[in-house]
Amino acid sequence: MSTFKMAWRNIWRNKRRTLVTVAAMTIAVFITIGYSGMVAGMLIQLESDSLDFELGAAQIFAEGYQDRPSIYTDIEDTAGILERLDAKELAAAPRLNGAGLVAAGEASSGALFKGVDLVRDPKVLALASQVHHGSWLAADVPKGVVIGRKLAHTLGVGVGDEMIVLSQATDGSMANDLLTVQGILKGVGAEIDRAGVFMSEDLFRELLVYEGGAHQIIIKRPHVLDTDAVKAAAVEAAPGQDVQSWKELNPTLASMLESVTGMINIMFFIVNVAIGIVILNAMLMSVFERIKEFGVLKALGIAPSGVMKLIYVESFIQVTISVCVGLLLIAPVLYYLANTGIDMGALAGTDMMGLAMMETWYADVTPEIFKGPIFMTLFVVSMAVFYPALKAAVIQPVAAMRHQ
């Protein structure tokens, strides 16, 4: 009789124990694959949102601007850099940055003014798609601004309301104007939500009497180049400027993404250790119940390695059943989570380490989310079965057949 056929018969001699063991491993596979897909999906969405709404793949600054931001520290050859980036087929948009106060009624708050190129910016960032109320900036509304949601709440303003902006112009005069709230953003990021005031580049220059170059140039994340390649191309296009990749601009997010494998593996380990204890207990009980049987096998000339092989085949038959059932159960769940997702409700847009939570949490379904859980299950089962298999292999035939 083949080892497989004997193992198949053995595992069904005690159906209850086999079903409990298979159920435990199936639950482990189900939970770990689902967890892996959801965590991977969350981090991918956080990365995508941060890069598409704020960071881009890389940014260019004038040397020293990041250390001491100043409206006077600008990129002098902005037009030339943009032309060279266009030649490299890298979409880029300039940004003008300033600061001041905004007020409406009796409320006031500090604000960060963002001058936006109305033509280039939508080709680089998807911030226009994040307008929750109202609309994005348009050339036909020269005094319109789009503000962060928390800033709107602080000032108590809505779409169509007016607010006063105050700052110091570059010529030393007082910059002030009455602007109209054209749009209010969804949760994008802590800084923008709390203080962001987006306006057209022309309005920024008029308000602050500014004639210099851009303070930053944001480069869109392309589909064919990785981050390092984009940064290298930007360094070549902007010699003498400070070029930083999104990982350098947001090390918190980069660290989260790099540690995701470790996070997932820790979860796998915890779940599978618990399952391993169940398997160890089940296999030990099976060995003690079949001591006389193993004694007979060894008396008939079966080598210790053959006994161990039999125990391992029995275990891996159960693992195979568990993995197949687990995959069948998790498949429709993953399909739903990847296509419909989980509505985050009140949590949408809330800050998480400076990042805004997504409105809908989707799972990421790739081969990688299956490999880890299945490999970890096989590894834990192999370790859990080793001691019972070894115990059965070293049984002495005479002592085994006398066992009561």
Side-chain angles (χ1 to χ4, degrees):
M1 184 182 295
S2 69
T3 302
F4 179 83
K5 186 180 292 186
M6 186 183 300
W8 178 261
R9 290 183 177 181
N10 286 340
I11 64 173
W12 297 113
R13 285 162 60 181
N14 191 324
K15 293 182 180 179
R16 179 178 297 178
R17 180 169 59 225
T18 297
L19 290 175
V20 169
T21 305
V22 168
M25 288 189 287
T26 299
I27 292 172
V29 171
F30 181 91
I31 291 175
T32 51
I33 290 178
Y35 172 82
S36 177
M38 292 305 293
V39 171
M42 178 185 70
L43 293 179
I44 287 174
Q45 282 180 263
L46 287 175
E47 177 189 359
S48 177
D49 290 351
S50 294
L51 270 60
D52 292 343
F53 301 150
E54 290 187 83
L55 300 175
Q59 295 186 18
I60 301 172
F61 304 89
E63 194 66 42
Y65 180 85
Q66 282 288 77
D67 297 327
R68 297 187 63 182
S70 169
I71 194 171
Y72 302 102
T73 307
D74 62 343
I75 303 171
E76 295 181 359
D77 188 25
T78 300
I81 292 173
L82 290 173
E83 289 180 5
R84 290 190 288 272
L85 290 172
D86 289 341
K88 294 178 180 293
E89 297 184 349
L90 290 174
R95 278 279 177 88
L96 307 178
N97 298 325
L101 294 174
V102 290
E106 297 182 355
S108 62
S109 175
L112 299 174
F113 302 147
K114 306 284 186 179
V116 175
D117 185 314
L118 299 184
V119 177
R120 283 182 171 271
D121 207 81
K123 299 177 182 178
V124 176
L125 298 178
L127 195 59
S129 67
Q130 292 303 104
V131 176
H132 186 53
H133 300 292
S135 60
W136 184 244
L137 302 171
D140 57 354
V141 188
K143 296 288 186 177
V145 294
V146 175
I147 65 176
R149 59 176 192 144
K150 290 185 179 179
L151 179 59
H153 178 74
T154 300
L155 298 177
V157 295
V159 175
D161 293 339
E162 294 181 328
M163 65 181 192
I164 299 171
V165 295
L166 299 170
S167 185
Q168 183 176 5
T170 57
D171 63 357
S173 64
M174 178 64 69
N176 63 88
D177 206 343
L178 189 64
L179 305 180
T180 302
V181 177
Q182 185 175 340
I184 299 174
L185 295 168
K186 302 176 184 178
V188 175
E191 185 178 88
I192 291 178
D193 292 350
R194 184 180 63 253
V197 176
F198 292 86
M199 61 186 71
S200 68
E201 181 178 344
D202 291 340
L203 177 57
F204 183 99
R205 292 183 180 280
E206 177 186 344
L207 176 66
L208 298 176
V209 194
Y210 182 71
E211 299 180 355
H215 298 108
Q216 66 182 136
I217 296 175
I218 304 173
I219 303 172
K220 182 179 181 179
R221 176 177 59 166
H223 296 292
V224 294
L225 295 178
D226 60 20
T227 300
D228 292 336
V230 172
K231 180 178 178 180
V235 169
E236 185 178 341
Q241 307 299 325
D242 180 16
V243 180
Q244 296 189 24
S245 68
W246 71 265
K247 293 182 179 180
E248 295 168 314
L249 293 166
N250 194 334
T252 300
L253 177 60
S255 178
M256 287 174 62
L257 293 172
E258 290 173 359
S259 63
V260 63
T261 302
M263 293 167 54
I264 293 176
N265 285 337
I266 290 172
M267 177 63 179
F268 293 168
F269 181 76
I270 293 172
V271 172
N272 281 289
V273 164
I275 302 305
I277 294 173
V278 173
I279 296 168
L280 174 62
N281 181 62
M283 295 309 300
L284 278 173
M285 290 175 62
S286 176
V287 168
F288 282 121
E289 288 176 0
R290 296 156 57 193
I291 286 180
K292 288 186 177 181
E293 176 187 324
F294 292 130
V296 171
L297 289 175
K298 296 194 71 174
L300 292 174
I302 302 296
S305 60
V307 176
M308 291 191 72
K309 179 182 177 182
L310 176 63
I311 300 295
Y312 267 97
V313 171
E314 292 176 11
S315 300
F316 283 105
I317 288 175
Q318 296 176 73
V319 171
T320 302
I321 295 172
S322 302
V323 169
C324 292
V325 174
L327 290 175
L328 287 174
L329 293 176
I330 197 63
V333 176
L334 286 177
Y335 179 83
Y336 174 83
L337 293 175
N339 292 278
T340 303
I342 300 173
D343 186 356
M344 299 304 292
L347 293 176
T350 56
D351 293 340
M352 186 181 72
M353 301 177 71
L355 305 172
M357 283 293 292
M358 66 289 294
E359 293 181 333
T360 305
W361 185 357
Y362 294 99
D364 180 52
V365 181
T366 61
E368 283 68 28
I369 72 167
F370 298 98
K371 293 177 183 177
I374 293 173
F375 173 79
M376 186 64 73
T377 301
L378 291 172
F379 174 76
V380 170
V381 170
S382 299
M383 295 297 100
V385 170
F386 178 75
Y387 176 69
L390 182 63
K391 188 171 184 64
V394 299
I395 290 175
Q396 296 299 319
V398 175
M401 286 185 282
R402 289 177 180 174
H403 180 77
Q404 299 296 324

